[in-house]
Amino acid sequence: MSSLSAPPTAIPTPVVLPVSKAVLWLFGTALIALAVYYFIGVDQGAYSVFGNDMHIHEFVHDSRHFLGFPCH
Ligand SMILES: [Zn+2]
């Protein structure tokens, strides 16, 4: 009868975080979107990832004006 009066013991189960394909797509898309946002909206040539180079600025120049980012 002593086993009936003992409190139930909890069995610890490991916590498994679900890393699904949707999470990977979410982070990949966010990373690419941030890179596109940087190159269109921030990269001006004077402070560029590739140094004093205006190629990216000129490549995305029309989209920068179209989207309303300040340019010149
Ligand atoms: Zn411009």
Side-chain angles (χ1 to χ4, degrees), residues 35-44 56 60 63-64 67 69-70:
V36 168
Y37 180 84
Y38 172 78
F39 283 120
I40 291 177
V42 179
D43 197 290
Q44 293 277 343
I56 293 176
V60 298
S63 62
R64 172 174 291 152
L67 295 172
F69 286 103

Side-chain angles (χ1 to χ4, degrees), residues 33-58:
L34 284 174
V36 168
Y37 180 84
Y38 172 78
F39 283 120
I40 291 177
V42 179
D43 197 290
Q44 293 277 343
Y47 45 93
S48 176
V49 173
F50 302 108
N52 192 10
D53 187 25
M54 296 295 287
H55 284 93
I56 293 176
H57 177 87
E58 296 299 331

